[in-house]
Structure formats: structure tokens, C-alpha cells
Amino acid sequence: MMMDIENAKLLYSRTGDFLIPSERVAHVQVGNNLEHALLVLTKSGYTAIPVLDIKFKLHGLISSPLILDSILGIERIEFEKLDTLKVEDVMKKDIPTLHFNDPIIHSLKLLINHPFVCCVHDDGSFAGILTRRVILKQLNAFLQPLYHNEMNNQSSQ
Ligand code: AMP
């Protein structure tokens, strides 16, 4: 099967080519309280967002389920804790990251289990996120012509 040269470029792309850049990513800071984080999460409509420090270094991810779990008491939801608990006390720290120059094929494996993966520059500063949606869109554009070519070839034989 012949591969379209233009489309094959996807295989040689880098993570940085398909990022949602940091300035367009909703995020919170390590020292923010959970009330602020819940506000940003709810207003943005996302269930998980990155946690950064003032130097834009990536520290983890915060999500609404993690926040709710952290204020869950034995008999009631302890909403008053939203004010005192900090994002850094509750965030998920053990997260996969990609580097700006990583081949796109590295990202595919991570995106099986994560709807998005954070990408960092070599100095550890946050570059943006790579989402499953963006990669699926690229894969779709790559595979559709191959599929239709194949179908056309089969029907003309
Ligand atoms: P999507 O591919 O747009 O469905 O996004 C998948 C996930 O990536 C969302 O649920 C968010 O957790 C995260 N995400 C996508 N876009 C943004 C953004 N601009 N800011 C923060 N998080 C985002």
C-alpha cells in the first residue's frame, strides 16, 4: 500500500507541533486553595487541569474528583475545608510528561490511558498540553485517505 508522502509527515512530527500552548491552558498554582481550584475547574468545564508554580514549572494535576474526595468526611462533605486545604496537598504528583521535542509516537502510548498529557520544555517549564482529541484528529486525517484509496483500489480490481 502506497503512503501519501504529505500524510506520512505525521509519523515524523514532534509533540510540540500539536500542543495547546500554555497561555491557552486553564491552570492553578500550587498555593491556591481548593475553593479557587474548584472555581477554575467548574468555570473552564474541564475535570482536570495542570498545577504550576509562579515560575511556570509543572507540579501536578488537580481534578474535581480529587477535590471532592479530599473534603469527604465520614458523615458529611466538609465544605469548610475548601478554604484551608491547598492545591499542593491534594494534587496528583505522579503524572506522565512529554518533552517538546519527543516524537509524536511517544505520545500515542500515553494518550491511551490519559485524555491529555502535559508537555514541558527542557528546563522543566510548562509548554502546554497534548490532548487525545488533537491526536485522534491528526490520525483520522492520516488514515482516511489511506482507507479510501484502498477501497477504490479494491473496487477497481
Ligand atoms: P478535550 O480533548 O478537549 O476533550 O480535552 C481533554 C482534557 O484535556 C480536558 O478534559 C481537560 O482536562 C484537558 N484540557 C483540554 N483543553 C484544555 C485547556 N484549554 N485548559 C486546560 N485543560 C484542558
mmCIF file with all atom_site columns, all heavy atoms in Angstrom, residues 6 10 12 17-18 37 43 62 66 72 78 85 101 115 121 137-138 141-142 151:
data_model
loop_
_atom_site.group_PDB
_atom_site.id
_atom_site.type_symbol
_atom_site.label_atom_id
_atom_site.label_alt_id
_atom_site.label_comp_id
_atom_site.label_asym_id
_atom_site.label_entity_id
_atom_site.label_seq_id
_atom_site.pdbx_PDB_ins_code
_atom_site.Cartn_x
_atom_site.Cartn_y
_atom_site.Cartn_z
_atom_site.occupancy
_atom_site.B_iso_or_equiv
_atom_site.pdbx_formal_charge
_atom_site.auth_seq_id
_atom_site.auth_comp_id
_atom_site.auth_asym_id
_atom_site.auth_atom_id
_atom_site.pdbx_PDB_model_num
ATOM 1   N N   . GLU A 1 6   ? 2.700   13.422 2.015  1.00 0.00 ? 6   GLU A N   1
ATOM 2   C CA  . GLU A 1 6   ? 2.288   14.532 2.879  1.00 0.00 ? 6   GLU A CA  1
ATOM 3   C C   . GLU A 1 6   ? 1.810   14.018 4.235  1.00 0.00 ? 6   GLU A C   1
ATOM 4   O O   . GLU A 1 6   ? 2.212   14.483 5.279  1.00 0.00 ? 6   GLU A O   1
ATOM 5   C CB  . GLU A 1 6   ? 1.150   15.325 2.219  1.00 0.00 ? 6   GLU A CB  1
ATOM 6   C CG  . GLU A 1 6   ? 1.631   16.441 1.305  1.00 0.00 ? 6   GLU A CG  1
ATOM 7   C CD  . GLU A 1 6   ? 2.531   17.432 2.038  1.00 0.00 ? 6   GLU A CD  1
ATOM 8   O OE1 . GLU A 1 6   ? 2.048   18.022 3.009  1.00 0.00 ? 6   GLU A OE1 1
ATOM 9   O OE2 . GLU A 1 6   ? 3.704   17.580 1.651  1.00 0.00 ? 6   GLU A OE2 1
ATOM 10  N N   . LEU A 1 10  ? 3.092   12.996 9.592  1.00 0.00 ? 10  LEU A N   1
ATOM 11  C CA  . LEU A 1 10  ? 2.605   12.808 10.962 1.00 0.00 ? 10  LEU A CA  1
ATOM 12  C C   . LEU A 1 10  ? 3.566   11.941 11.763 1.00 0.00 ? 10  LEU A C   1
ATOM 13  O O   . LEU A 1 10  ? 3.839   12.210 12.927 1.00 0.00 ? 10  LEU A O   1
ATOM 14  C CB  . LEU A 1 10  ? 1.201   12.171 10.939 1.00 0.00 ? 10  LEU A CB  1
ATOM 15  C CG  . LEU A 1 10  ? 0.606   11.819 12.302 1.00 0.00 ? 10  LEU A CG  1
ATOM 16  C CD1 . LEU A 1 10  ? 0.385   13.067 13.149 1.00 0.00 ? 10  LEU A CD1 1
ATOM 17  C CD2 . LEU A 1 10  ? -0.704  11.064 12.134 1.00 0.00 ? 10  LEU A CD2 1
ATOM 18  N N   . TYR A 1 12  ? 6.645   11.708 11.576 1.00 0.00 ? 12  TYR A N   1
ATOM 19  C CA  . TYR A 1 12  ? 7.898   12.386 11.933 1.00 0.00 ? 12  TYR A CA  1
ATOM 20  C C   . TYR A 1 12  ? 7.651   13.646 12.758 1.00 0.00 ? 12  TYR A C   1
ATOM 21  O O   . TYR A 1 12  ? 8.577   14.398 13.035 1.00 0.00 ? 12  TYR A O   1
ATOM 22  C CB  . TYR A 1 12  ? 8.689   12.728 10.664 1.00 0.00 ? 12  TYR A CB  1
ATOM 23  C CG  . TYR A 1 12  ? 8.965   11.510 9.831  1.00 0.00 ? 12  TYR A CG  1
ATOM 24  C CD1 . TYR A 1 12  ? 8.243   11.260 8.667  1.00 0.00 ? 12  TYR A CD1 1
ATOM 25  C CD2 . TYR A 1 12  ? 9.927   10.591 10.247 1.00 0.00 ? 12  TYR A CD2 1
ATOM 26  C CE1 . TYR A 1 12  ? 8.467   10.114 7.920  1.00 0.00 ? 12  TYR A CE1 1
ATOM 27  C CE2 . TYR A 1 12  ? 10.156  9.440  9.512  1.00 0.00 ? 12  TYR A CE2 1
ATOM 28  C CZ  . TYR A 1 12  ? 9.419   9.206  8.345  1.00 0.00 ? 12  TYR A CZ  1
ATOM 29  O OH  . TYR A 1 12  ? 9.645   8.065  7.625  1.00 0.00 ? 12  TYR A OH  1
ATOM 30  N N   . ASP A 1 17  ? 4.548   20.090 17.987 1.00 0.00 ? 17  ASP A N   1
ATOM 31  C CA  . ASP A 1 17  ? 3.805   20.517 16.791 1.00 0.00 ? 17  ASP A CA  1
ATOM 32  C C   . ASP A 1 17  ? 2.295   20.588 17.031 1.00 0.00 ? 17  ASP A C   1
ATOM 33  O O   . ASP A 1 17  ? 1.591   21.281 16.304 1.00 0.00 ? 17  ASP A O   1
ATOM 34  C CB  . ASP A 1 17  ? 4.053   19.545 15.624 1.00 0.00 ? 17  ASP A CB  1
ATOM 35  C CG  . ASP A 1 17  ? 5.510   19.527 15.198 1.00 0.00 ? 17  ASP A CG  1
ATOM 36  O OD1 . ASP A 1 17  ? 6.202   20.524 15.454 1.00 0.00 ? 17  ASP A OD1 1
ATOM 37  O OD2 . ASP A 1 17  ? 5.950   18.509 14.624 1.00 0.00 ? 17  ASP A OD2 1
ATOM 38  N N   . PHE A 1 18  ? 1.794   19.853 18.014 1.00 0.00 ? 18  PHE A N   1
ATOM 39  C CA  . PHE A 1 18  ? 0.338   19.754 18.179 1.00 0.00 ? 18  PHE A CA  1
ATOM 40  C C   . PHE A 1 18  ? -0.167  20.202 19.547 1.00 0.00 ? 18  PHE A C   1
ATOM 41  O O   . PHE A 1 18  ? -1.247  19.823 19.992 1.00 0.00 ? 18  PHE A O   1
ATOM 42  C CB  . PHE A 1 18  ? -0.110  18.300 17.929 1.00 0.00 ? 18  PHE A CB  1
ATOM 43  C CG  . PHE A 1 18  ? 0.206   17.820 16.549 1.00 0.00 ? 18  PHE A CG  1
ATOM 44  C CD1 . PHE A 1 18  ? 1.081   16.766 16.357 1.00 0.00 ? 18  PHE A CD1 1
ATOM 45  C CD2 . PHE A 1 18  ? -0.354  18.436 15.447 1.00 0.00 ? 18  PHE A CD2 1
ATOM 46  C CE1 . PHE A 1 18  ? 1.400   16.326 15.085 1.00 0.00 ? 18  PHE A CE1 1
ATOM 47  C CE2 . PHE A 1 18  ? -0.051  18.008 14.168 1.00 0.00 ? 18  PHE A CE2 1
ATOM 48  C CZ  . PHE A 1 18  ? 0.828   16.952 13.980 1.00 0.00 ? 18  PHE A CZ  1
ATOM 49  N N   . ALA A 1 37  ? -9.462  26.416 43.084 1.00 0.00 ? 37  ALA A N   1
ATOM 50  C CA  . ALA A 1 37  ? -9.283  25.372 42.066 1.00 0.00 ? 37  ALA A CA  1
ATOM 51  C C   . ALA A 1 37  ? -10.630 24.871 41.542 1.00 0.00 ? 37  ALA A C   1
ATOM 52  O O   . ALA A 1 37  ? -10.817 24.693 40.331 1.00 0.00 ? 37  ALA A O   1
ATOM 53  C CB  . ALA A 1 37  ? -8.469  24.216 42.643 1.00 0.00 ? 37  ALA A CB  1
ATOM 54  N N   . LYS A 1 43  ? -15.659 26.624 36.067 1.00 0.00 ? 43  LYS A N   1
ATOM 55  C CA  . LYS A 1 43  ? -15.826 27.657 35.034 1.00 0.00 ? 43  LYS A CA  1
ATOM 56  C C   . LYS A 1 43  ? -15.252 27.224 33.695 1.00 0.00 ? 43  LYS A C   1
ATOM 57  O O   . LYS A 1 43  ? -15.783 27.551 32.637 1.00 0.00 ? 43  LYS A O   1
ATOM 58  C CB  . LYS A 1 43  ? -15.158 28.976 35.478 1.00 0.00 ? 43  LYS A CB  1
ATOM 59  C CG  . LYS A 1 43  ? -15.958 29.732 36.497 1.00 0.00 ? 43  LYS A CG  1
ATOM 60  C CD  . LYS A 1 43  ? -17.079 30.510 35.818 1.00 0.00 ? 43  LYS A CD  1
ATOM 61  C CE  . LYS A 1 43  ? -17.999 31.157 36.843 1.00 0.00 ? 43  LYS A CE  1
ATOM 62  N NZ  . LYS A 1 43  ? -19.306 31.525 36.295 1.00 0.00 ? 43  LYS A NZ  1
ATOM 63  N N   . ILE A 1 62  ? -4.724  18.733 39.109 1.00 0.00 ? 62  ILE A N   1
ATOM 64  C CA  . ILE A 1 62  ? -5.813  18.768 40.082 1.00 0.00 ? 62  ILE A CA  1
ATOM 65  C C   . ILE A 1 62  ? -7.126  18.500 39.344 1.00 0.00 ? 62  ILE A C   1
ATOM 66  O O   . ILE A 1 62  ? -7.280  18.919 38.193 1.00 0.00 ? 62  ILE A O   1
ATOM 67  C CB  . ILE A 1 62  ? -5.849  20.118 40.855 1.00 0.00 ? 62  ILE A CB  1
ATOM 68  C CG1 . ILE A 1 62  ? -6.826  20.059 42.034 1.00 0.00 ? 62  ILE A CG1 1
ATOM 69  C CG2 . ILE A 1 62  ? -6.225  21.284 39.943 1.00 0.00 ? 62  ILE A CG2 1
ATOM 70  C CD1 . ILE A 1 62  ? -6.304  19.342 43.221 1.00 0.00 ? 62  ILE A CD1 1
ATOM 71  N N   . LEU A 1 66  ? -10.689 14.562 42.761 1.00 0.00 ? 66  LEU A N   1
ATOM 72  C CA  . LEU A 1 66  ? -9.676  14.599 43.831 1.00 0.00 ? 66  LEU A CA  1
ATOM 73  C C   . LEU A 1 66  ? -10.084 15.588 44.918 1.00 0.00 ? 66  LEU A C   1
ATOM 74  O O   . LEU A 1 66  ? -9.917  15.327 46.113 1.00 0.00 ? 66  LEU A O   1
ATOM 75  C CB  . LEU A 1 66  ? -8.319  15.038 43.261 1.00 0.00 ? 66  LEU A CB  1
ATOM 76  C CG  . LEU A 1 66  ? -7.395  13.968 42.697 1.00 0.00 ? 66  LEU A CG  1
ATOM 77  C CD1 . LEU A 1 66  ? -6.114  14.606 42.162 1.00 0.00 ? 66  LEU A CD1 1
ATOM 78  C CD2 . LEU A 1 66  ? -7.061  12.936 43.773 1.00 0.00 ? 66  LEU A CD2 1
ATOM 79  N N   . LEU A 1 72  ? -14.308 14.873 51.740 1.00 0.00 ? 72  LEU A N   1
ATOM 80  C CA  . LEU A 1 72  ? -15.328 13.897 52.129 1.00 0.00 ? 72  LEU A CA  1
ATOM 81  C C   . LEU A 1 72  ? -15.081 13.423 53.557 1.00 0.00 ? 72  LEU A C   1
ATOM 82  O O   . LEU A 1 72  ? -14.076 12.760 53.834 1.00 0.00 ? 72  LEU A O   1
ATOM 83  C CB  . LEU A 1 72  ? -15.239 12.708 51.162 1.00 0.00 ? 72  LEU A CB  1
ATOM 84  C CG  . LEU A 1 72  ? -16.497 11.898 50.909 1.00 0.00 ? 72  LEU A CG  1
ATOM 85  C CD1 . LEU A 1 72  ? -17.582 12.772 50.289 1.00 0.00 ? 72  LEU A CD1 1
ATOM 86  C CD2 . LEU A 1 72  ? -16.179 10.745 49.960 1.00 0.00 ? 72  LEU A CD2 1
ATOM 87  N N   . GLU A 1 78  ? -17.231 18.052 53.968 1.00 0.00 ? 78  GLU A N   1
ATOM 88  C CA  . GLU A 1 78  ? -16.751 19.152 54.812 1.00 0.00 ? 78  GLU A CA  1
ATOM 89  C C   . GLU A 1 78  ? -16.335 20.348 53.956 1.00 0.00 ? 78  GLU A C   1
ATOM 90  O O   . GLU A 1 78  ? -15.142 20.599 53.739 1.00 0.00 ? 78  GLU A O   1
ATOM 91  C CB  . GLU A 1 78  ? -15.613 18.629 55.696 1.00 0.00 ? 78  GLU A CB  1
ATOM 92  C CG  . GLU A 1 78  ? -16.114 17.541 56.668 1.00 0.00 ? 78  GLU A CG  1
ATOM 93  C CD  . GLU A 1 78  ? -15.014 16.713 57.309 1.00 0.00 ? 78  GLU A CD  1
ATOM 94  O OE1 . GLU A 1 78  ? -13.839 16.814 56.904 1.00 0.00 ? 78  GLU A OE1 1
ATOM 95  O OE2 . GLU A 1 78  ? -15.345 15.942 58.230 1.00 0.00 ? 78  GLU A OE2 1
ATOM 96  N N   . LEU A 1 85  ? -7.508  23.868 52.718 1.00 0.00 ? 85  LEU A N   1
ATOM 97  C CA  . LEU A 1 85  ? -6.613  22.949 52.000 1.00 0.00 ? 85  LEU A CA  1
ATOM 98  C C   . LEU A 1 85  ? -6.048  23.615 50.751 1.00 0.00 ? 85  LEU A C   1
ATOM 99  O O   . LEU A 1 85  ? -6.741  24.351 50.052 1.00 0.00 ? 85  LEU A O   1
ATOM 100 C CB  . LEU A 1 85  ? -7.363  21.670 51.610 1.00 0.00 ? 85  LEU A CB  1
ATOM 101 C CG  . LEU A 1 85  ? -7.614  20.645 52.711 1.00 0.00 ? 85  LEU A CG  1
ATOM 102 C CD1 . LEU A 1 85  ? -8.502  19.515 52.194 1.00 0.00 ? 85  LEU A CD1 1
ATOM 103 C CD2 . LEU A 1 85  ? -6.281  20.080 53.217 1.00 0.00 ? 85  LEU A CD2 1
ATOM 104 N N   . ASN A 1 101 ? 10.265  18.114 22.275 1.00 0.00 ? 101 ASN A N   1
ATOM 105 C CA  . ASN A 1 101 ? 10.836  17.504 21.063 1.00 0.00 ? 101 ASN A CA  1
ATOM 106 C C   . ASN A 1 101 ? 10.610  16.001 20.946 1.00 0.00 ? 101 ASN A C   1
ATOM 107 O O   . ASN A 1 101 ? 11.132  15.373 20.027 1.00 0.00 ? 101 ASN A O   1
ATOM 108 C CB  . ASN A 1 101 ? 12.338  17.788 20.978 1.00 0.00 ? 101 ASN A CB  1
ATOM 109 C CG  . ASN A 1 101 ? 12.590  19.204 20.551 1.00 0.00 ? 101 ASN A CG  1
ATOM 110 O OD1 . ASN A 1 101 ? 11.864  19.744 19.706 1.00 0.00 ? 101 ASN A OD1 1
ATOM 111 N ND2 . ASN A 1 101 ? 13.588  19.853 21.142 1.00 0.00 ? 101 ASN A ND2 1
ATOM 112 N N   . PRO A 1 115 ? -6.554  11.379 28.969 1.00 0.00 ? 115 PRO A N   1
ATOM 113 C CA  . PRO A 1 115 ? -7.209  12.223 27.952 1.00 0.00 ? 115 PRO A CA  1
ATOM 114 C C   . PRO A 1 115 ? -6.314  13.370 27.469 1.00 0.00 ? 115 PRO A C   1
ATOM 115 O O   . PRO A 1 115 ? -6.487  13.872 26.377 1.00 0.00 ? 115 PRO A O   1
ATOM 116 C CB  . PRO A 1 115 ? -8.447  12.772 28.663 1.00 0.00 ? 115 PRO A CB  1
ATOM 117 C CG  . PRO A 1 115 ? -8.368  12.346 30.080 1.00 0.00 ? 115 PRO A CG  1
ATOM 118 C CD  . PRO A 1 115 ? -7.225  11.399 30.265 1.00 0.00 ? 115 PRO A CD  1
ATOM 119 N N   . HIS A 1 121 ? 9.222   22.015 28.545 1.00 0.00 ? 121 HIS A N   1
ATOM 120 C CA  . HIS A 1 121 ? 10.464  22.356 27.847 1.00 0.00 ? 121 HIS A CA  1
ATOM 121 C C   . HIS A 1 121 ? 11.628  21.678 28.567 1.00 0.00 ? 121 HIS A C   1
ATOM 122 O O   . HIS A 1 121 ? 11.456  21.148 29.673 1.00 0.00 ? 121 HIS A O   1
ATOM 123 C CB  . HIS A 1 121 ? 10.678  23.879 27.866 1.00 0.00 ? 121 HIS A CB  1
ATOM 124 C CG  . HIS A 1 121 ? 9.695   24.643 27.040 1.00 0.00 ? 121 HIS A CG  1
ATOM 125 N ND1 . HIS A 1 121 ? 9.646   24.565 25.661 1.00 0.00 ? 121 HIS A ND1 1
ATOM 126 C CD2 . HIS A 1 121 ? 8.714   25.510 27.388 1.00 0.00 ? 121 HIS A CD2 1
ATOM 127 C CE1 . HIS A 1 121 ? 8.689   25.346 25.208 1.00 0.00 ? 121 HIS A CE1 1
ATOM 128 N NE2 . HIS A 1 121 ? 8.094   25.928 26.217 1.00 0.00 ? 121 HIS A NE2 1
ATOM 129 N N   . LYS A 1 137 ? -7.629  13.540 15.812 1.00 0.00 ? 137 LYS A N   1
ATOM 130 C CA  . LYS A 1 137 ? -7.949  14.323 14.616 1.00 0.00 ? 137 LYS A CA  1
ATOM 131 C C   . LYS A 1 137 ? -6.843  14.142 13.557 1.00 0.00 ? 137 LYS A C   1
ATOM 132 O O   . LYS A 1 137 ? -7.110  13.935 12.378 1.00 0.00 ? 137 LYS A O   1
ATOM 133 C CB  . LYS A 1 137 ? -8.070  15.803 15.019 1.00 0.00 ? 137 LYS A CB  1
ATOM 134 C CG  . LYS A 1 137 ? -8.847  16.633 14.042 1.00 0.00 ? 137 LYS A CG  1
ATOM 135 C CD  . LYS A 1 137 ? -9.072  18.016 14.618 1.00 0.00 ? 137 LYS A CD  1
ATOM 136 C CE  . LYS A 1 137 ? -9.443  18.960 13.491 1.00 0.00 ? 137 LYS A CE  1
ATOM 137 N NZ  . LYS A 1 137 ? -9.396  20.350 13.885 1.00 0.00 ? 137 LYS A NZ  1
ATOM 138 N N   . GLN A 1 138 ? -5.583  14.200 14.006 1.00 0.00 ? 138 GLN A N   1
ATOM 139 C CA  . GLN A 1 138 ? -4.448  14.021 13.089 1.00 0.00 ? 138 GLN A CA  1
ATOM 140 C C   . GLN A 1 138 ? -4.432  12.595 12.535 1.00 0.00 ? 138 GLN A C   1
ATOM 141 O O   . GLN A 1 138 ? -4.192  12.386 11.345 1.00 0.00 ? 138 GLN A O   1
ATOM 142 C CB  . GLN A 1 138 ? -3.115  14.297 13.814 1.00 0.00 ? 138 GLN A CB  1
ATOM 143 C CG  . GLN A 1 138 ? -2.934  15.725 14.289 1.00 0.00 ? 138 GLN A CG  1
ATOM 144 C CD  . GLN A 1 138 ? -2.899  16.712 13.147 1.00 0.00 ? 138 GLN A CD  1
ATOM 145 O OE1 . GLN A 1 138 ? -2.440  16.403 12.052 1.00 0.00 ? 138 GLN A OE1 1
ATOM 146 N NE2 . GLN A 1 138 ? -3.422  17.907 13.375 1.00 0.00 ? 138 GLN A NE2 1
ATOM 147 N N   . ALA A 1 141 ? -7.086  12.218 9.905  1.00 0.00 ? 141 ALA A N   1
ATOM 148 C CA  . ALA A 1 141 ? -6.704  12.832 8.628  1.00 0.00 ? 141 ALA A CA  1
ATOM 149 C C   . ALA A 1 141 ? -5.669  11.970 7.906  1.00 0.00 ? 141 ALA A C   1
ATOM 150 O O   . ALA A 1 141 ? -5.606  11.929 6.681  1.00 0.00 ? 141 ALA A O   1
ATOM 151 C CB  . ALA A 1 141 ? -6.158  14.236 8.863  1.00 0.00 ? 141 ALA A CB  1
ATOM 152 N N   . PHE A 1 142 ? -4.843  11.267 8.673  1.00 0.00 ? 142 PHE A N   1
ATOM 153 C CA  . PHE A 1 142 ? -3.805  10.408 8.124  1.00 0.00 ? 142 PHE A CA  1
ATOM 154 C C   . PHE A 1 142 ? -4.388  9.109  7.553  1.00 0.00 ? 142 PHE A C   1
ATOM 155 O O   . PHE A 1 142 ? -4.029  8.650  6.463  1.00 0.00 ? 142 PHE A O   1
ATOM 156 C CB  . PHE A 1 142 ? -2.808  10.103 9.252  1.00 0.00 ? 142 PHE A CB  1
ATOM 157 C CG  . PHE A 1 142 ? -1.744  9.099  8.920  1.00 0.00 ? 142 PHE A CG  1
ATOM 158 C CD1 . PHE A 1 142 ? -0.799  9.351  7.932  1.00 0.00 ? 142 PHE A CD1 1
ATOM 159 C CD2 . PHE A 1 142 ? -1.662  7.912  9.634  1.00 0.00 ? 142 PHE A CD2 1
ATOM 160 C CE1 . PHE A 1 142 ? 0.192   8.434  7.638  1.00 0.00 ? 142 PHE A CE1 1
ATOM 161 C CE2 . PHE A 1 142 ? -0.672  6.986  9.355  1.00 0.00 ? 142 PHE A CE2 1
ATOM 162 C CZ  . PHE A 1 142 ? 0.256   7.246  8.352  1.00 0.00 ? 142 PHE A CZ  1
ATOM 163 N N   . MET A 1 151 ? -10.017 1.194  -0.614 1.00 0.00 ? 151 MET A N   1
ATOM 164 C CA  . MET A 1 151 ? -11.365 0.785  -1.047 1.00 0.00 ? 151 MET A CA  1
ATOM 165 C C   . MET A 1 151 ? -11.516 0.980  -2.559 1.00 0.00 ? 151 MET A C   1
ATOM 166 O O   . MET A 1 151 ? -12.072 0.127  -3.263 1.00 0.00 ? 151 MET A O   1
ATOM 167 C CB  . MET A 1 151 ? -12.440 1.607  -0.315 1.00 0.00 ? 151 MET A CB  1
ATOM 168 C CG  . MET A 1 151 ? -12.567 1.263  1.148  1.00 0.00 ? 151 MET A CG  1
ATOM 169 S SD  . MET A 1 151 ? -13.005 -0.462 1.403  1.00 0.00 ? 151 MET A SD  1
ATOM 170 C CE  . MET A 1 151 ? -11.681 -1.050 2.390  1.00 0.00 ? 151 MET A CE  1
#
